[in-house]
């Protein structure tokens, strides 16, 4: 019996829609791209319930004729390409003719549109991909599309949607990216009737100030570079103004927001030693490449692209970032001619021998002669029965857990502490060890209602991005509970009068930014107040803890280990990273082949 049959069109469209439209943010992305392709200067978005129940996007672009309005939601209907040549030199954001068809297949949709030279506009209603009605209508120039009940006919897909606030966060993420790269366009977002975002038309830097707040935007340096047919413009952060996650990095190729590892690797290579562990620069790069030299037709969402010459792109991005760091005096150019003859691989080489680090570098690794604390060398290997070579205080007696007695031998690479125990030795990461200590102490003081906090010498003003300010407003009670006195002070700005003290460090406004980054990462789950508080404590402990790369005195090392031993869990830091790694004598002997 024959078993193969052709699928009906509705089902084909639903399958195809799955690739393009995953969540409300995908609808917004596709619609914004269409509005930009239509030459709009104003894009207004209205949402209800994270865009799940309702999305409306209005633009003042070129609009569509009545005939086009009835055709645009058919699959493979596009005005942007005609033939194969066009496909390999894409100049618009869209070109696959799939987005409207995909949305139409999984939602109820209404399109209202008018071109400038027409007296009347058109309104079409589509349900389940089928045209239900169309009529002439008086409307302003441009296009408005409304989408109701996304995934109403694909319940399986609907189940995968997250909370409304998570869906809204993804929408805001995509709107923000397109607003960054299109300062000439006025974007606005209303959610459940409340103004959530607005970026009036202005120049690129004012746009960044508006979107990210003065605290972040004020720390940026300009990037302007062109080589090998690639032009790069944008802004990057000065090394001290880094963030704890990568979400503030936006790379655009020909105004398309892309994710590309070659480019991000080149950015990190260029910053090299200027970044400390787990710190990420703020990056906005507007890269222009001949459209014939890239392929954007890699995936239906068009977020990944293929580049003909990756090495050239990598080198251009590296040079662009490096030059602006050099020009702003943040690093010294020691490698003037290192990239001649397209010798990009030499970067990796240079990295290995450290020759790229220069003045002003906050490098974690300085020559060993800078060390103050004695360092273990090969000759200091402990021999059975011999006295340790480093003078030290009394062996530490652990108090909470049944751990063996320690003899602290010293600090290596200004990051790890080596402690000898009877049956081997421990390697302790000084940063995570301190994080664990501070976390437990701080947690204790929160539980007892005895958080230490202090007024700042002068109140600090916090100018946040629209996204960060929403999160802060939502969580202000938790901040207060942890010893902050923060008050809203107009649009996206706040005043901090008092902040908690952990160890002897008083938290500053940069610390608050990190706490916000961390809170944002967890928006995908609606977490309880207790969990939020715990997360904030972890970030605060991390900010206040001794950093890797800090030289410690003998007493500091000793106190640190003694304090660590008093914690409930000296083995892992609150982030779950190991604090102590144990190397037993047996393992050592195996490595040296003394035993089998
Ligand atoms: N906001 C808009 N303004 C003007 N024309 C639009 C708009 N949105 C869609 N269109 C028209 O509908 C067509 C189909 O859109 P879409 O399905 O997104 O495919 P693509 O963008 O890949 O061409 C577009 O090629 C364009 O001509
Ligand atoms: Mg499109």
């Amino acid at each position: 019996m024959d078993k193969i049959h052709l699928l009906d069109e509705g089902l084909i469209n639903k399958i195809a829609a799955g690739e393009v439209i995953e969540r409300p943010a995908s609808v917004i992305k596709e619609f914004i791209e269409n509005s930009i392709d239509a030459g709009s200067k104003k894009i207004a978005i209205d949402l209800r319930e994270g865009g799940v129940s309702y999305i409306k996007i209005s633009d003042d672009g070129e609009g569509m004729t009545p005939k086009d309005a009835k055709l645009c939601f058919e699959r493979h209907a596009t005005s942007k390409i005609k033939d194969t040549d066009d496909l390999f030199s894409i100049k618009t954001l869209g070109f696959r003719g799939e987005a409207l068809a995909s949305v139409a297949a999984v939602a109820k949709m209404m399109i209202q549109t008018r071109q400038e030279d027409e007296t009347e506009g058109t309104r079409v209603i589509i349900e389940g991909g089928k045209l239900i009605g169309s009529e002439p209508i008086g409307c302003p120039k441009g296009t408005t599309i409304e989408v109701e009940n996304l995934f109403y006919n694909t319940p399986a897909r609907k189940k995968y949607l997250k909370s409304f606030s998570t869906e809204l966060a993804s929408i805001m993420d995509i709107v923000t990216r397109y607003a960054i790269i299109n300062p000439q366009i006025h974007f606005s977002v209303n959610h459940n009737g409340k103004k959530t975002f607005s970026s009036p038309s202005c120049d690129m830097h004012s746009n960044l100030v508006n979107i990210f707040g003065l605290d972040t935007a004020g720390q940026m340096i300009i990037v302007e570079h062109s080589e090998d047919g690639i032009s790069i413009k944008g802004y990057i952060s000065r090394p001290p103004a880094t963030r704890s996650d990568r979400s503030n990095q936006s790379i655009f190729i020909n105004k398309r927001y892309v994710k590309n590892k070659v480019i991000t690797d080149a950015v990190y290579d260029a910053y090299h030693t200027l970044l400390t562990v787990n710190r990420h620069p703020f990056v906005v790069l507007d890269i222009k490449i001949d459209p014939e030299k890239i392929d954007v037709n890699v995936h239906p969402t068009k977020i990944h692209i293929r580049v003909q010459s990756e090495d050239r792109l990598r080198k251009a991005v590296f040079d662009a970032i490096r030059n602006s760091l050099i020009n702003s005096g943040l690093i010294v150019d020691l490698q003037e001619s290192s990239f001649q003859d397209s010798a990009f691989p030499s970067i990796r080489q240079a990295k290995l021998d450290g020759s790229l680090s220069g003045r002003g570098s906050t490098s974690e690794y300085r020559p060993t002669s800078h060390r103050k604390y004695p360092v273990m060398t090969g000759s200091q290997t402990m021999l059975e029965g011999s006295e340790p070579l480093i003078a030290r205080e009394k062996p530490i007696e652990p108090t909470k857990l049944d751990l063996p007695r320690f003899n602290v031998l010293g600090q290596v690479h200004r990051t790890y502490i080596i402690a000898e125990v009877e049956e081997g030795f421990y390697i302790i990461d000084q940063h995570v060890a301190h994080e664990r200590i501070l976390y437990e102490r701080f947690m204790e003081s929160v539980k007892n209602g005895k958080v230490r906090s202090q007024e700042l010498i002068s109140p600090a003003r916090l100018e946040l991005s629209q996204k960060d300010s929403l999160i802060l407003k939502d969580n202000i009670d938790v901040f207060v509970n942890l010893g902050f006195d923060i008050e809203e002070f107009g649009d996206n700005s706040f005043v901090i009068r008092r902040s908690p003290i952990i160890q002897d460090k008083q938290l500053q406004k940069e610390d608050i930014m990190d706490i916000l980054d961390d809170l944002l990462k967890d928006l995908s789950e609606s977490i309880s107040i207790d969990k939020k508080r715990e997360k904030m404590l972890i970030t605060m402990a991390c900010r206040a803890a001794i950093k890797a790369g800090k030289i410690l005195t003998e007493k500091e090392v000793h106190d640190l280990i003694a304090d660590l031993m008093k914690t409930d869990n000296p083995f892992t830091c609150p982030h779950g990273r190991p604090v102590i790694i144990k190397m037993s004598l047996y393992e050592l002997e195996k490595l040296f082949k003394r035993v089998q």
Side-chain angles (χ1 to χ4, degrees):
M1 198 175 76
D2 299 336
K3 56 182 182 182
I4 300 179
H5 53 264
L6 289 174
L7 298 176
D8 71 59
E9 206 185 302
L11 189 52
I12 293 173
N13 282 344
K14 278 185 195 159
I15 292 172
E19 281 192 312
V20 190
I21 306 299
E22 205 188 327
R23 56 202 305 186
S26 348
V27 177
I28 298 291
K29 173 182 178 291
E30 293 297 333
F31 286 7
I32 289 182
E33 290 188 351
N34 283 342
S35 298
I36 296 173
D37 283 343
S40 310
K41 292 275 162 286
K42 213 170 162 196
I43 301 177
I45 299 168
D46 264 300
L47 305 164
R48 282 206 293 267
E49 298 177 324
V52 180
S53 60
Y54 181 76
I55 294 173
K56 174 170 153 190
I57 170 162
S58 308
D59 68 44
D60 60 354
E62 66 186 14
M64 289 179 264
T65 62
K67 196 170 155 224
D68 283 350
K70 282 181 232 154
L71 189 61
C72 66
F73 59 89
E74 295 289 340
R75 188 155 299 279
H76 311 305
T78 182
S79 56
K80 299 171 192 174
I81 56 171
K82 284 202 190 74
D83 53 31
T84 317
D85 283 351
D86 292 344
L87 182 60
F88 293 102
S89 109
I90 301 283
K91 295 182 185 70
T92 46
L93 295 169
F95 60 91
R96 298 172 60 105
E98 290 187 314
L100 291 185
S102 297
V103 180
V106 293
K108 298 176 183 164
M109 195 159 92
M110 191 282 293
I111 305 175
Q112 184 172 296
T113 185
R114 179 174 75 82
Q115 293 202 319
E116 189 156 33
D117 52 4
E118 298 194 28
T119 46
E120 267 188 338
T122 311
R123 178 183 158 95
V124 296
I125 297 169
I126 305 122
E127 235 179 89
K130 296 260 173 297
L131 181 70
I132 301 290
S134 81
E135 56 182 1
I137 190 170
C139 62
K141 172 206 161 203
T143 303
T144 294
I145 307 188
E146 284 170 273
V147 175
E148 267 178 39
N149 273 338
L150 190 62
F151 303 132
Y152 79 103
N153 55 356
T154 48
R157 178 51 68 102
K158 194 162 186 164
K159 267 197 261 165
Y160 285 100
L161 292 179
K162 305 227 167 91
S163 68
F164 293 152
S165 64
T166 308
E167 295 303 339
L168 177 64
S170 315
I171 291 176
M172 294 314 294
D173 188 69
I174 199 76
V175 176
T176 307
R177 310 240 184 223
Y178 275 111
I180 293 171
I181 199 65
N182 292 289
Q184 78 288 0
I185 300 178
H186 178 179
F187 285 87
S188 63
V189 180
N190 281 334
H191 183 244
N192 293 343
K194 247 173 63 190
K195 180 180 143 192
T196 315
F197 179 88
S198 162
S199 75
S201 148
C202 55
D203 63 88
M204 190 160 180
H205 193 260
S206 316
N207 193 37
L208 293 180
V209 173
N210 174 56
I211 294 173
F212 294 104
L214 198 58
D215 282 343
T216 306
Q219 288 292 324
M220 290 184 210
I221 50 179
I222 194 161
V223 177
E224 233 169 346
H225 181 78
S226 87
E227 75 177 57
D228 231 352
I230 302 171
S231 111
I232 303 173
K233 283 192 180 151
Y235 284 89
I236 56 172
S237 54
R238 291 168 188 280
T242 50
R243 299 290 291 257
S244 65
D245 75 355
R246 291 169 182 253
S247 67
N248 288 304
Q249 302 181 349
S250 302
I251 313 286
F252 302 89
I253 294 195
N254 298 346
K255 302 264 176 181
R256 181 188 304 282
Y257 170 55
V258 295
K259 291 192 173 151
N260 185 289
K261 193 165 176 329
V262 170
I263 300 175
T264 16
D265 282 354
V267 169
Y268 280 82
D269 272 339
Y271 269 92
H272 187 37
T273 57
L274 297 179
L275 295 171
T276 44
V277 188
N278 292 332
R279 301 301 300 173
H280 304 279
F282 177 102
V283 178
V284 173
L285 291 183
D286 178 6
I287 304 176
K288 290 203 173 55
I289 308 182
D290 179 352
E292 291 186 12
K293 300 220 161 95
I294 55 172
D295 183 1
V296 287
N297 191 21
V298 178
H299 186 268
T301 57
K302 303 161 287 177
I303 199 153
H304 299 287
I305 53 153
R306 255 191 302 257
V307 183
Q308 257 175 35
S309 169
E310 289 193 339
D311 275 355
R312 272 199 226 140
L313 176 62
R314 187 186 288 128
K315 177 175 161 358
V317 172
F318 178 91
D319 288 350
I321 307 278
R322 201 79 195 160
N323 287 347
S324 64
L325 290 170
I326 290 168
N327 291 340
S328 30
L330 292 163
I331 44 172
V332 170
D333 187 9
L334 297 179
Q335 293 283 305
E336 269 167 17
S337 56
S338 63
F339 303 124
Q340 279 165 12
D341 310 314
S342 134
F344 193 79
S346 67
I347 289 169
R348 305 218 168 267
Q349 195 57 47
K351 245 178 114 168
L352 284 178
D353 62 33
S355 55
L356 273 176
S357 55
R359 178 183 61 97
S361 145
T362 53
S363 160
E364 296 228 325
Y365 299 99
R366 295 215 191 111
T368 45
S369 61
H370 286 253
R371 295 176 204 279
K372 290 214 187 89
Y373 198 84
V375 177
M376 260 175 76
T377 65
S379 64
Q380 290 175 330
T381 313
M382 295 291 300
L383 298 173
E384 221 174 307
S386 72
E387 275 299 303
L389 293 174
I390 298 170
R392 57 180 185 263
E393 297 175 19
K394 283 205 320 276
I396 294 163
E397 303 284 353
T399 45
K400 281 212 171 166
L401 285 180
D402 200 13
L403 283 169
R405 282 155 55 113
F406 270 77
N407 279 330
V408 177
L409 298 182
Q411 188 194 26
V412 291
H413 283 285
R414 306 190 308 171
T415 300
Y416 305 104
I417 293 160
I418 310 291
E420 183 198 24
V421 286
E422 202 175 29
E423 73 284 16
F425 65 91
Y426 284 177
I427 308 168
I428 298 155
D429 181 320
Q430 66 190 40
H431 171 70
V432 286
H434 200 208
E435 205 176 284
R436 163 57 65 187
I437 298 164
L438 295 183
Y439 170 74
E440 289 198 9
R441 276 191 198 156
F442 200 34
M443 191 61 140
E444 192 66 28
S445 57
V446 172
K447 275 189 194 146
N448 302 334
K450 287 189 182 146
V451 178
R452 272 177 69 212
S453 70
Q454 199 177 37
E455 267 183 32
L456 293 168
I457 297 170
S458 57
R461 192 158 166 175
L462 201 58
E463 305 265 355
L464 291 180
S465 70
Q466 309 199 16
K467 189 171 71 180
D468 285 345
S469 107
L470 278 178
I471 305 167
L472 181 52
K473 274 185 223 164
D474 271 3
N475 294 290
I476 211 140
D477 291 353
V478 198
F479 277 90
V480 169
N481 187 256
L482 293 181
F484 287 97
D485 176 352
I486 302 184
E487 205 185 307
E488 218 180 316
F489 198 75
D491 267 2
N492 307 318
S493 74
F494 299 80
V495 176
I496 318 163
R497 297 206 171 78
R498 178 177 269 279
S499 73
I501 299 179
I502 308 184
Q503 190 83 334
D504 292 323
K505 183 178 185 281
Q506 179 165 30
L507 292 186
Q508 303 296 327
K509 62 183 198 179
E510 297 75 30
D511 302 315
I512 296 179
M513 304 271 226
D514 271 9
I515 296 171
L516 293 175
D517 278 349
D518 263 13
L519 280 177
L520 187 69
K521 276 183 220 150
D522 266 4
L523 271 185
S524 47
E525 297 138 44
S526 6
I527 53 173
S528 67
I529 296 273
D530 280 354
K531 200 98 202 119
K532 273 186 191 166
R533 205 166 54 182
E534 185 186 291
K535 275 190 68 66
M536 285 163 68
L537 280 176
I538 294 175
T539 316
M540 285 150 86
C542 176
R543 290 290 299 196
I546 297 167
K547 299 282 173 285
K550 182 176 189 292
I551 299 166
L552 300 181
T553 64
E554 202 175 317
K555 179 165 184 322
E556 282 170 336
V557 172
H558 201 270
D559 290 351
L560 183 75
I561 305 299
D563 287 345
L564 178 67
M565 288 310 113
K566 288 186 209 136
T567 60
D568 288 332
N569 181 0
F571 288 103
T572 51
C573 86
H575 288 107
R577 275 160 55 192
V579 174
I580 301 176
I581 288 177
K582 186 182 168 190
M583 174 70 96
S584 70
L585 217 49
Y586 175 71
E587 282 165 298
L588 259 188
E589 285 174 345
K590 255 178 89 174
L591 287 172
F592 284 108
K593 306 220 180 296
R594 282 172 177 267
V595 292
Q596 287 301 311

